[in-house]
Amino acid sequence: MRGEQRLRISLHGAVQGVGFRPFVFRLAKDLGLRGWVSNDSSGLLVEVEGPAERVERFRERLDAERPPASVILTREVSWLPPAGYADFEIRPSDGSASPSAAVLPDLATCTECLAEILDPRQRRHGYPFTNCTRCGPRYTIVRDVPYDRPNTTLAGFPLCDECRREYTDPADRRFHAQPIACPRCGPRLEVSIAGAAAALRAGGIVALKGVGGFQLLCDARSEAAVARLRERKHREAKPLAVMMPSLEAARRACRLSPEEEEALTSPAAPIVLAEPSPDCPLAANVNDASPFVGVMLPYSPLHHLLMRETGFPLVATSGNVSGDPIVTTTEGARAVLAPIADLVVDHDRPIARPVDDSVVRVFRGGISLVRRARGYAPLPIPIGEDLPPTLAVGGHLKNTIALAIGRQVFVSQHIGDLDTLASREAFVRAIDDLCRLYRIRPERVACDLHPDYGSTQWARNSGLPVAAVQHHIAHAASCAAENDVREPYLAVTWDGTGYGTDGTVWGGEFFWVGNGRFSRVAWLRPFRLPGGEAAIREPWRVAEALRWELGDEEGAPGIDPARRRTLRHMLARRLNCPSTSSMGRLFDAAAALAGIAPFSRFEGHAAMLWERIAGRGPGDPPGAYEIAGDQGPLDWEPLVRRLIRDASAGTPAPVLSARFHSALPDLIVRVARACGARVAVLSGGCFQNARLTTQTVAALEGAGIRAVTHQRMPANDGGLALGQAVLAWTEAAE
Ligand code: ZN
Ligand code: ZN
Ligand code: FE
């Protein structure tokens, strides 16, 4: 036949379980093309043939009209001679190829499914496990690839006739929806939603089996209920996330920007860190130690139904005892959550792996992940170079792991701090899980340089060749990799603590990066952390150390003289006073010098308060402080001297904080100019500070330097695994 063409397209990304095959089927039929579409273990494969011009139209419309939840990460296109297909068909999945398909993240309930469960005329009215090809669980139910029902935790629920009809009808929204379910054939809730709502209304604590694990719920307006939850969960001060009944309710509780609303209502439906409004109805102890409140919207039918029944905001925090991983099983709920909760609401849809709620902050007009889990994991990060099979085990706190193969890095969901036995077990399970799911046998394991990290210890005992990557170099590489930076750049990596190549604690580092080499060109002038770990919990200690370093005999007001004497003695004798160049600790110390947060109630607390007090607006008061220098040790002395002087002269804390923040973009621009950088990469936990990051980006761009920040990966230690993975085979690893 003249003018006939066959086109083969191979798509990788979030292309399974989003209704892509039925969409391709309808599109091909519409254009009168023949061929087939199939899920394979590396994504989606399509072949169409017909008149060249219509094949070309197919290619255009494939992109323009594809299902909204799909994400195409890479594609390969080839033109072939016609094969003489008779019709267009959906072929069964091919389980033979190498399984590097992007398993899709879990997606929040779509508007159609929500309308159905609220409509008394529908057979899924009130059914909490309703889903379709556009929404519902994915990563939390997948046991193996390819993504087909027998490979999910729904395997044990044979379809009823009606569900089977929907599942096999190409015109139906549930065509090949793998988790398809209805009240007749699907999973069931053990306790009624009305019963759960009644318990919550009475001030009780409910453990609810959600999408990626159990959640602990209580009335977020009730100080007594929240206090009881904190006490039973052993979670003293850290802010608790809140599920709001609706977007309108969230708007009343918080000042939301359009971007924050967009994040809340996105298919990922994360927890958004937002600023509470003056008449926020939430109990003060929900977030009393924090300037932000983490809010989210209902993201599963179960949540929607429960929120409609209660109508008030609910604390919705991970179902665990603080420090341990989130509980996913009935046995776990009995053992761990029954003592905490007044009522356990279980169901019989198994959870394949623990996946917490994600946390995002919104600034610079986009989202920035603080905790990457439900809704985002395990979408791979595409990278510019081919990597051999590599495992990266991340840091110790906010741990994630990553698996690299070819040009993709699969980063696990947030696993947590590796401080408890249970969390270390979860870490090992996550490694096994990802390796099995993607059929990857790592040839090398990358880890942090810190010998005491739980992840490093595992790597050293794994029997695999080890590549240790310095903490801040991994931070830099993570940000550069997710943004595909290829030219030489200045890396600014500021965080709390990381093990330096000289054995001291780093955290205020600048690296010049070119040709795969990282040279440390500047760093914060080192100071002492009296008491080591204790100095992290008690910022007043660091403030004292700075005063001592400056020969200030006076010391801060309000500190017990006996404690101060002990501290000074420790400093003079260098007893348990590790040296650090950490910017995170300078933030803590500055807050303490200004009389804010001499004691920190959770990690990052003092820095958060310090950011918050400076205010949101650009309002840059005159008299910005200065950190001196543009290479080598950067001297904080002028900054600290002026801060102490202003504070004792009674300058209000918001002004002190604003002046402090304003010193930092100037410093970064100065160092960037000194090394002739045209690109600056900003990474490390300090860059979760919206004020710092926004001002720095503006200053860099004003100086004609491109600023690169994290988006899909956290700036904090949750981003380390990606950086370790991309450096595992380079000279930057030891
Ligand atoms: Zn749906
Ligand atoms: Zn059914
Ligand atoms: Fe770090």
PDB file of all heavy atoms in Angstrom, residues 1-7 9 27-34 48-62 79:
ATOM      1  N   MET A   1       0.848  -1.211   0.000  1.00  0.00           N
ATOM      2  CA  MET A   1       0.000   0.000   0.000  1.00  0.00           C
ATOM      3  C   MET A   1       0.870   1.242   0.000  1.00  0.00           C
ATOM      4  O   MET A   1       1.844   1.322   0.742  1.00  0.00           O
ATOM      5  CB  MET A   1      -0.929  -0.006   1.210  1.00  0.00           C
ATOM      6  CG  MET A   1      -2.327  -0.512   0.884  1.00  0.00           C
ATOM      7  SD  MET A   1      -3.389  -0.419   2.319  1.00  0.00           S
ATOM      8  CE  MET A   1      -2.889  -1.887   3.225  1.00  0.00           C
ATOM      9  N   ARG A   2       0.516   2.196  -0.837  1.00  0.00           N
ATOM     10  CA  ARG A   2       1.315   3.397  -0.982  1.00  0.00           C
ATOM     11  C   ARG A   2       1.084   4.327   0.224  1.00  0.00           C
ATOM     12  O   ARG A   2      -0.032   4.458   0.703  1.00  0.00           O
ATOM     13  CB  ARG A   2       0.924   4.120  -2.279  1.00  0.00           C
ATOM     14  CG  ARG A   2       2.035   4.955  -2.906  1.00  0.00           C
ATOM     15  CD  ARG A   2       1.652   5.276  -4.351  1.00  0.00           C
ATOM     16  NE  ARG A   2       0.262   5.712  -4.456  1.00  0.00           N
ATOM     17  CZ  ARG A   2      -0.101   6.992  -4.300  1.00  0.00           C
ATOM     18  NH1 ARG A   2       0.779   7.918  -4.059  1.00  0.00           N
ATOM     19  NH2 ARG A   2      -1.371   7.326  -4.404  1.00  0.00           N
ATOM     20  N   GLY A   3       2.153   4.934   0.679  1.00  0.00           N
ATOM     21  CA  GLY A   3       2.021   5.920   1.758  1.00  0.00           C
ATOM     22  C   GLY A   3       1.711   5.323   3.133  1.00  0.00           C
ATOM     23  O   GLY A   3       1.437   6.053   4.067  1.00  0.00           O
ATOM     24  N   GLU A   4       1.769   3.985   3.245  1.00  0.00           N
ATOM     25  CA  GLU A   4       1.522   3.386   4.558  1.00  0.00           C
ATOM     26  C   GLU A   4       2.790   3.452   5.422  1.00  0.00           C
ATOM     27  O   GLU A   4       3.905   3.274   4.917  1.00  0.00           O
ATOM     28  CB  GLU A   4       1.122   1.913   4.399  1.00  0.00           C
ATOM     29  CG  GLU A   4      -0.246   1.716   3.790  1.00  0.00           C
ATOM     30  CD  GLU A   4      -1.342   1.729   4.831  1.00  0.00           C
ATOM     31  OE1 GLU A   4      -1.290   0.917   5.759  1.00  0.00           O
ATOM     32  OE2 GLU A   4      -2.249   2.577   4.717  1.00  0.00           O
ATOM     33  N   GLN A   5       2.603   3.712   6.699  1.00  0.00           N
ATOM     34  CA  GLN A   5       3.732   3.794   7.613  1.00  0.00           C
ATOM     35  C   GLN A   5       3.412   3.032   8.886  1.00  0.00           C
ATOM     36  O   GLN A   5       2.257   2.970   9.296  1.00  0.00           O
ATOM     37  CB  GLN A   5       3.998   5.256   7.993  1.00  0.00           C
ATOM     38  CG  GLN A   5       4.602   6.097   6.892  1.00  0.00           C
ATOM     39  CD  GLN A   5       6.111   6.071   6.914  1.00  0.00           C
ATOM     40  OE1 GLN A   5       6.715   5.125   7.417  1.00  0.00           O
ATOM     41  NE2 GLN A   5       6.722   7.106   6.351  1.00  0.00           N
ATOM     42  N   ARG A   6       4.453   2.483   9.497  1.00  0.00           N
ATOM     43  CA  ARG A   6       4.270   1.902  10.832  1.00  0.00           C
ATOM     44  C   ARG A   6       5.155   2.672  11.810  1.00  0.00           C
ATOM     45  O   ARG A   6       6.343   2.870  11.549  1.00  0.00           O
ATOM     46  CB  ARG A   6       4.652   0.428  10.844  1.00  0.00           C
ATOM     47  CG  ARG A   6       4.624  -0.183  12.249  1.00  0.00           C
ATOM     48  CD  ARG A   6       4.512  -1.696  12.238  1.00  0.00           C
ATOM     49  NE  ARG A   6       5.636  -2.346  11.578  1.00  0.00           N
ATOM     50  CZ  ARG A   6       6.488  -3.184  12.202  1.00  0.00           C
ATOM     51  NH1 ARG A   6       6.334  -3.463  13.488  1.00  0.00           N
ATOM     52  NH2 ARG A   6       7.477  -3.745  11.541  1.00  0.00           N
ATOM     53  N   LEU A   7       4.555   3.083  12.899  1.00  0.00           N
ATOM     54  CA  LEU A   7       5.275   3.850  13.903  1.00  0.00           C
ATOM     55  C   LEU A   7       5.295   3.057  15.203  1.00  0.00           C
ATOM     56  O   LEU A   7       4.259   2.569  15.656  1.00  0.00           O
ATOM     57  CB  LEU A   7       4.551   5.187  14.130  1.00  0.00           C
ATOM     58  CG  LEU A   7       5.112   6.096  15.216  1.00  0.00           C
ATOM     59  CD1 LEU A   7       6.477   6.643  14.850  1.00  0.00           C
ATOM     60  CD2 LEU A   7       4.149   7.255  15.469  1.00  0.00           C
ATOM     61  N   ILE A   9       6.242   3.434  19.161  1.00  0.00           N
ATOM     62  CA  ILE A   9       6.585   4.387  20.223  1.00  0.00           C
ATOM     63  C   ILE A   9       6.694   3.629  21.534  1.00  0.00           C
ATOM     64  O   ILE A   9       5.798   2.865  21.898  1.00  0.00           O
ATOM     65  CB  ILE A   9       5.516   5.487  20.377  1.00  0.00           C
ATOM     66  CG1 ILE A   9       5.281   6.195  19.040  1.00  0.00           C
ATOM     67  CG2 ILE A   9       5.930   6.501  21.438  1.00  0.00           C
ATOM     68  CD1 ILE A   9       4.189   7.254  19.114  1.00  0.00           C
ATOM     69  N   LEU A  27      -7.957   6.425  20.442  1.00  0.00           N
ATOM     70  CA  LEU A  27      -7.310   7.351  19.505  1.00  0.00           C
ATOM     71  C   LEU A  27      -7.005   6.656  18.168  1.00  0.00           C
ATOM     72  O   LEU A  27      -7.284   7.192  17.086  1.00  0.00           O
ATOM     73  CB  LEU A  27      -6.024   7.899  20.139  1.00  0.00           C
ATOM     74  CG  LEU A  27      -5.235   8.915  19.320  1.00  0.00           C
ATOM     75  CD1 LEU A  27      -6.081  10.136  19.005  1.00  0.00           C
ATOM     76  CD2 LEU A  27      -3.974   9.335  20.080  1.00  0.00           C
ATOM     77  N   ALA A  28      -6.478   5.442  18.270  1.00  0.00           N
ATOM     78  CA  ALA A  28      -6.138   4.704  17.048  1.00  0.00           C
ATOM     79  C   ALA A  28      -7.401   4.393  16.245  1.00  0.00           C
ATOM     80  O   ALA A  28      -7.441   4.541  15.021  1.00  0.00           O
ATOM     81  CB  ALA A  28      -5.396   3.422  17.410  1.00  0.00           C
ATOM     82  N   LYS A  29      -8.452   3.979  16.949  1.00  0.00           N
ATOM     83  CA  LYS A  29      -9.735   3.673  16.293  1.00  0.00           C
ATOM     84  C   LYS A  29     -10.278   4.922  15.597  1.00  0.00           C
ATOM     85  O   LYS A  29     -10.751   4.871  14.460  1.00  0.00           O
ATOM     86  CB  LYS A  29     -10.751   3.175  17.326  1.00  0.00           C
ATOM     87  CG  LYS A  29     -10.495   1.755  17.771  1.00  0.00           C
ATOM     88  CD  LYS A  29     -10.979   0.793  16.701  1.00  0.00           C
ATOM     89  CE  LYS A  29     -10.892  -0.653  17.171  1.00  0.00           C
ATOM     90  NZ  LYS A  29     -11.138  -1.589  16.065  1.00  0.00           N
ATOM     91  N   ASP A  30     -10.200   6.012  16.329  1.00  0.00           N
ATOM     92  CA  ASP A  30     -10.701   7.287  15.835  1.00  0.00           C
ATOM     93  C   ASP A  30     -10.013   7.671  14.518  1.00  0.00           C
ATOM     94  O   ASP A  30     -10.637   8.201  13.602  1.00  0.00           O
ATOM     95  CB  ASP A  30     -10.420   8.345  16.919  1.00  0.00           C
ATOM     96  CG  ASP A  30     -11.174   9.631  16.661  1.00  0.00           C
ATOM     97  OD1 ASP A  30     -12.228   9.557  16.004  1.00  0.00           O
ATOM     98  OD2 ASP A  30     -10.697  10.699  17.112  1.00  0.00           O
ATOM     99  N   LEU A  31      -8.726   7.389  14.439  1.00  0.00           N
ATOM    100  CA  LEU A  31      -7.960   7.767  13.255  1.00  0.00           C
ATOM    101  C   LEU A  31      -7.924   6.652  12.210  1.00  0.00           C
ATOM    102  O   LEU A  31      -7.274   6.778  11.174  1.00  0.00           O
ATOM    103  CB  LEU A  31      -6.521   8.143  13.657  1.00  0.00           C
ATOM    104  CG  LEU A  31      -6.383   9.448  14.446  1.00  0.00           C
ATOM    105  CD1 LEU A  31      -5.010   9.562  15.079  1.00  0.00           C
ATOM    106  CD2 LEU A  31      -6.622  10.646  13.533  1.00  0.00           C
ATOM    107  N   GLY A  32      -8.611   5.558  12.515  1.00  0.00           N
ATOM    108  CA  GLY A  32      -8.647   4.443  11.571  1.00  0.00           C
ATOM    109  C   GLY A  32      -7.301   3.770  11.394  1.00  0.00           C
ATOM    110  O   GLY A  32      -6.959   3.305  10.302  1.00  0.00           O
ATOM    111  N   LEU A  33      -6.514   3.721  12.462  1.00  0.00           N
ATOM    112  CA  LEU A  33      -5.195   3.093  12.370  1.00  0.00           C
ATOM    113  C   LEU A  33      -5.241   1.675  12.932  1.00  0.00           C
ATOM    114  O   LEU A  33      -6.080   1.348  13.764  1.00  0.00           O
ATOM    115  CB  LEU A  33      -4.166   3.931  13.145  1.00  0.00           C
ATOM    116  CG  LEU A  33      -3.933   5.336  12.585  1.00  0.00           C
ATOM    117  CD1 LEU A  33      -3.092   6.160  13.542  1.00  0.00           C
ATOM    118  CD2 LEU A  33      -3.270   5.259  11.210  1.00  0.00           C
ATOM    119  N   ARG A  34      -4.306   0.842  12.476  1.00  0.00           N
ATOM    120  CA  ARG A  34      -4.239  -0.535  12.941  1.00  0.00           C
ATOM    121  C   ARG A  34      -2.950  -0.721  13.738  1.00  0.00           C
ATOM    122  O   ARG A  34      -2.005   0.056  13.588  1.00  0.00           O
ATOM    123  CB  ARG A  34      -4.287  -1.466  11.740  1.00  0.00           C
ATOM    124  CG  ARG A  34      -5.515  -1.232  10.864  1.00  0.00           C
ATOM    125  CD  ARG A  34      -5.484  -2.082   9.595  1.00  0.00           C
ATOM    126  NE  ARG A  34      -4.216  -1.969   8.870  1.00  0.00           N
ATOM    127  CZ  ARG A  34      -3.913  -0.968   8.024  1.00  0.00           C
ATOM    128  NH1 ARG A  34      -4.774   0.013   7.804  1.00  0.00           N
ATOM    129  NH2 ARG A  34      -2.760  -0.972   7.412  1.00  0.00           N
ATOM    130  N   VAL A  48       1.418   1.621  15.599  1.00  0.00           N
ATOM    131  CA  VAL A  48       0.257   1.963  14.764  1.00  0.00           C
ATOM    132  C   VAL A  48       0.704   1.988  13.311  1.00  0.00           C
ATOM    133  O   VAL A  48       1.830   2.366  13.005  1.00  0.00           O
ATOM    134  CB  VAL A  48      -0.359   3.340  15.115  1.00  0.00           C
ATOM    135  CG1 VAL A  48      -1.132   3.273  16.400  1.00  0.00           C
ATOM    136  CG2 VAL A  48       0.695   4.434  15.173  1.00  0.00           C
ATOM    137  N   GLU A  49      -0.183   1.566  12.454  1.00  0.00           N
ATOM    138  CA  GLU A  49       0.134   1.721  11.036  1.00  0.00           C
ATOM    139  C   GLU A  49      -1.083   2.176  10.259  1.00  0.00           C
ATOM    140  O   GLU A  49      -2.230   1.954  10.661  1.00  0.00           O
ATOM    141  CB  GLU A  49       0.757   0.460  10.448  1.00  0.00           C
ATOM    142  CG  GLU A  49      -0.154  -0.729  10.351  1.00  0.00           C
ATOM    143  CD  GLU A  49       0.566  -1.915   9.704  1.00  0.00           C
ATOM    144  OE1 GLU A  49       1.737  -2.136  10.026  1.00  0.00           O
ATOM    145  OE2 GLU A  49      -0.061  -2.612   8.888  1.00  0.00           O
ATOM    146  N   GLY A  50      -0.786   2.864   9.138  1.00  0.00           N
ATOM    147  CA  GLY A  50      -1.832   3.437   8.303  1.00  0.00           C
ATOM    148  C   GLY A  50      -1.202   4.524   7.454  1.00  0.00           C
ATOM    149  O   GLY A  50       0.032   4.631   7.387  1.00  0.00           O
ATOM    150  N   PRO A  51      -2.027   5.341   6.824  1.00  0.00           N
ATOM    151  CA  PRO A  51      -1.501   6.418   5.992  1.00  0.00           C
ATOM    152  C   PRO A  51      -0.588   7.347   6.802  1.00  0.00           C
ATOM    153  O   PRO A  51      -0.911   7.694   7.944  1.00  0.00           O
ATOM    154  CB  PRO A  51      -2.758   7.156   5.526  1.00  0.00           C
ATOM    155  CG  PRO A  51      -3.861   6.171   5.685  1.00  0.00           C
ATOM    156  CD  PRO A  51      -3.485   5.292   6.831  1.00  0.00           C
ATOM    157  N   ALA A  52       0.536   7.716   6.208  1.00  0.00           N
ATOM    158  CA  ALA A  52       1.573   8.471   6.911  1.00  0.00           C
ATOM    159  C   ALA A  52       1.016   9.701   7.622  1.00  0.00           C
ATOM    160  O   ALA A  52       1.377   9.990   8.766  1.00  0.00           O
ATOM    161  CB  ALA A  52       2.668   8.884   5.931  1.00  0.00           C
ATOM    162  N   GLU A  53       0.131  10.375   6.955  1.00  0.00           N
ATOM    163  CA  GLU A  53      -0.352  11.629   7.513  1.00  0.00           C
ATOM    164  C   GLU A  53      -1.192  11.377   8.778  1.00  0.00           C
ATOM    165  O   GLU A  53      -1.114  12.119   9.754  1.00  0.00           O
ATOM    166  CB  GLU A  53      -1.162  12.351   6.414  1.00  0.00           C
ATOM    167  CG  GLU A  53      -2.014  13.495   6.857  1.00  0.00           C
ATOM    168  CD  GLU A  53      -3.402  13.429   6.211  1.00  0.00           C
ATOM    169  OE1 GLU A  53      -3.571  12.659   5.235  1.00  0.00           O
ATOM    170  OE2 GLU A  53      -4.304  14.118   6.704  1.00  0.00           O
ATOM    171  N   ARG A  54      -1.965  10.260   8.773  1.00  0.00           N
ATOM    172  CA  ARG A  54      -2.766   9.961   9.963  1.00  0.00           C
ATOM    173  C   ARG A  54      -1.893   9.423  11.104  1.00  0.00           C
ATOM    174  O   ARG A  54      -2.185   9.634  12.273  1.00  0.00           O
ATOM    175  CB  ARG A  54      -3.871   8.965   9.605  1.00  0.00           C
ATOM    176  CG  ARG A  54      -5.107   9.692   9.069  1.00  0.00           C
ATOM    177  CD  ARG A  54      -6.300   8.795   8.996  1.00  0.00           C
ATOM    178  NE  ARG A  54      -6.455   8.216   7.667  1.00  0.00           N
ATOM    179  CZ  ARG A  54      -7.097   7.074   7.416  1.00  0.00           C
ATOM    180  NH1 ARG A  54      -7.616   6.372   8.408  1.00  0.00           N
ATOM    181  NH2 ARG A  54      -7.209   6.628   6.192  1.00  0.00           N
ATOM    182  N   VAL A  55      -0.828   8.734  10.738  1.00  0.00           N
ATOM    183  CA  VAL A  55       0.108   8.265  11.770  1.00  0.00           C
ATOM    184  C   VAL A  55       0.760   9.471  12.459  1.00  0.00           C
ATOM    185  O   VAL A  55       0.929   9.511  13.681  1.00  0.00           O
ATOM    186  CB  VAL A  55       1.183   7.327  11.166  1.00  0.00           C
ATOM    187  CG1 VAL A  55       2.272   7.016  12.186  1.00  0.00           C
ATOM    188  CG2 VAL A  55       0.541   6.040  10.674  1.00  0.00           C
ATOM    189  N   GLU A  56       1.072  10.466  11.633  1.00  0.00           N
ATOM    190  CA  GLU A  56       1.656  11.688  12.180  1.00  0.00           C
ATOM    191  C   GLU A  56       0.666  12.380  13.121  1.00  0.00           C
ATOM    192  O   GLU A  56       1.035  12.853  14.210  1.00  0.00           O
ATOM    193  CB  GLU A  56       2.052  12.624  11.025  1.00  0.00           C
ATOM    194  CG  GLU A  56       2.946  13.786  11.416  1.00  0.00           C
ATOM    195  CD  GLU A  56       4.198  13.364  12.179  1.00  0.00           C
ATOM    196  OE1 GLU A  56       4.998  12.560  11.642  1.00  0.00           O
ATOM    197  OE2 GLU A  56       4.363  13.830  13.312  1.00  0.00           O
ATOM    198  N   ARG A  57      -0.600  12.416  12.732  1.00  0.00           N
ATOM    199  CA  ARG A  57      -1.658  12.987  13.578  1.00  0.00           C
ATOM    200  C   ARG A  57      -1.741  12.228  14.909  1.00  0.00           C
ATOM    201  O   ARG A  57      -1.913  12.821  15.968  1.00  0.00           O
ATOM    202  CB  ARG A  57      -3.034  12.885  12.878  1.00  0.00           C
ATOM    203  CG  ARG A  57      -3.165  13.764  11.654  1.00  0.00           C
ATOM    204  CD  ARG A  57      -3.809  15.099  11.985  1.00  0.00           C
ATOM    205  NE  ARG A  57      -5.159  14.974  12.518  1.00  0.00           N
ATOM    206  CZ  ARG A  57      -5.634  15.726  13.515  1.00  0.00           C
ATOM    207  NH1 ARG A  57      -4.855  16.619  14.071  1.00  0.00           N
ATOM    208  NH2 ARG A  57      -6.882  15.572  13.927  1.00  0.00           N
ATOM    209  N   PHE A  58      -1.622  10.909  14.803  1.00  0.00           N
ATOM    210  CA  PHE A  58      -1.646  10.064  16.002  1.00  0.00           C
ATOM    211  C   PHE A  58      -0.531  10.487  16.959  1.00  0.00           C
ATOM    212  O   PHE A  58      -0.752  10.644  18.160  1.00  0.00           O
ATOM    213  CB  PHE A  58      -1.473   8.592  15.599  1.00  0.00           C
ATOM    214  CG  PHE A  58      -1.375   7.650  16.766  1.00  0.00           C
ATOM    215  CD1 PHE A  58      -2.519   7.111  17.342  1.00  0.00           C
ATOM    216  CD2 PHE A  58      -0.137   7.301  17.309  1.00  0.00           C
ATOM    217  CE1 PHE A  58      -2.435   6.246  18.424  1.00  0.00           C
ATOM    218  CE2 PHE A  58      -0.047   6.450  18.397  1.00  0.00           C
ATOM    219  CZ  PHE A  58      -1.199   5.918  18.953  1.00  0.00           C
ATOM    220  N   ARG A  59       0.642  10.702  16.396  1.00  0.00           N
ATOM    221  CA  ARG A  59       1.785  11.065  17.227  1.00  0.00           C
ATOM    222  C   ARG A  59       1.533  12.392  17.949  1.00  0.00           C
ATOM    223  O   ARG A  59       1.840  12.541  19.126  1.00  0.00           O
ATOM    224  CB  ARG A  59       3.046  11.164  16.364  1.00  0.00           C
ATOM    225  CG  ARG A  59       4.290  11.320  17.206  1.00  0.00           C
ATOM    226  CD  ARG A  59       5.491  10.821  16.474  1.00  0.00           C
ATOM    227  NE  ARG A  59       6.029  11.865  15.609  1.00  0.00           N
ATOM    228  CZ  ARG A  59       7.345  12.074  15.505  1.00  0.00           C
ATOM    229  NH1 ARG A  59       8.188  11.339  16.200  1.00  0.00           N
ATOM    230  NH2 ARG A  59       7.788  13.001  14.710  1.00  0.00           N
ATOM    231  N   GLU A  60       0.953  13.342  17.228  1.00  0.00           N
ATOM    232  CA  GLU A  60       0.668  14.638  17.848  1.00  0.00           C
ATOM    233  C   GLU A  60      -0.396  14.519  18.944  1.00  0.00           C
ATOM    234  O   GLU A  60      -0.225  15.017  20.053  1.00  0.00           O
ATOM    235  CB  GLU A  60       0.150  15.630  16.803  1.00  0.00           C
ATOM    236  CG  GLU A  60       1.206  16.134  15.846  1.00  0.00           C
ATOM    237  CD  GLU A  60       0.576  16.744  14.596  1.00  0.00           C
ATOM    238  OE1 GLU A  60      -0.623  17.132  14.645  1.00  0.00           O
ATOM    239  OE2 GLU A  60       1.278  16.815  13.576  1.00  0.00           O
ATOM    240  N   ARG A  61      -1.489  13.818  18.581  1.00  0.00           N
ATOM    241  CA  ARG A  61      -2.599  13.746  19.547  1.00  0.00           C
ATOM    242  C   ARG A  61      -2.256  12.890  20.766  1.00  0.00           C
ATOM    243  O   ARG A  61      -2.794  13.103  21.845  1.00  0.00           O
ATOM    244  CB  ARG A  61      -3.868  13.242  18.854  1.00  0.00           C
ATOM    245  CG  ARG A  61      -4.458  14.304  17.913  1.00  0.00           C
ATOM    246  CD  ARG A  61      -5.716  13.820  17.224  1.00  0.00           C
ATOM    247  NE  ARG A  61      -6.779  13.471  18.186  1.00  0.00           N
ATOM    248  CZ  ARG A  61      -7.925  12.888  17.816  1.00  0.00           C
ATOM    249  NH1 ARG A  61      -8.144  12.585  16.537  1.00  0.00           N
ATOM    250  NH2 ARG A  61      -8.846  12.615  18.708  1.00  0.00           N
ATOM    251  N   LEU A  62      -1.361  11.918  20.563  1.00  0.00           N
ATOM    252  CA  LEU A  62      -0.916  11.080  21.682  1.00  0.00           C
ATOM    253  C   LEU A  62      -0.378  11.970  22.804  1.00  0.00           C
ATOM    254  O   LEU A  62      -0.625  11.747  23.983  1.00  0.00           O
ATOM    255  CB  LEU A  62       0.173  10.116  21.201  1.00  0.00           C
ATOM    256  CG  LEU A  62       0.656   9.080  22.220  1.00  0.00           C
ATOM    257  CD1 LEU A  62      -0.403   8.027  22.465  1.00  0.00           C
ATOM    258  CD2 LEU A  62       1.948   8.420  21.757  1.00  0.00           C
ATOM    259  N   TRP A  79      10.418   4.483  13.030  1.00  0.00           N
ATOM    260  CA  TRP A  79       9.571   4.259  11.862  1.00  0.00           C
ATOM    261  C   TRP A  79       9.967   2.925  11.248  1.00  0.00           C
ATOM    262  O   TRP A  79      11.146   2.645  11.057  1.00  0.00           O
ATOM    263  CB  TRP A  79       9.755   5.381  10.837  1.00  0.00           C
ATOM    264  CG  TRP A  79       9.254   6.702  11.336  1.00  0.00           C
ATOM    265  CD1 TRP A  79       9.986   7.678  11.934  1.00  0.00           C
ATOM    266  CD2 TRP A  79       7.920   7.171  11.271  1.00  0.00           C
ATOM    267  NE1 TRP A  79       9.185   8.740  12.264  1.00  0.00           N
ATOM    268  CE2 TRP A  79       7.911   8.458  11.858  1.00  0.00           C
ATOM    269  CE3 TRP A  79       6.717   6.634  10.786  1.00  0.00           C
ATOM    270  CZ2 TRP A  79       6.743   9.224  11.981  1.00  0.00           C
ATOM    271  CZ3 TRP A  79       5.563   7.404  10.900  1.00  0.00           C
ATOM    272  CH2 TRP A  79       5.578   8.681  11.493  1.00  0.00           C
TER     273      TRP A  79
END
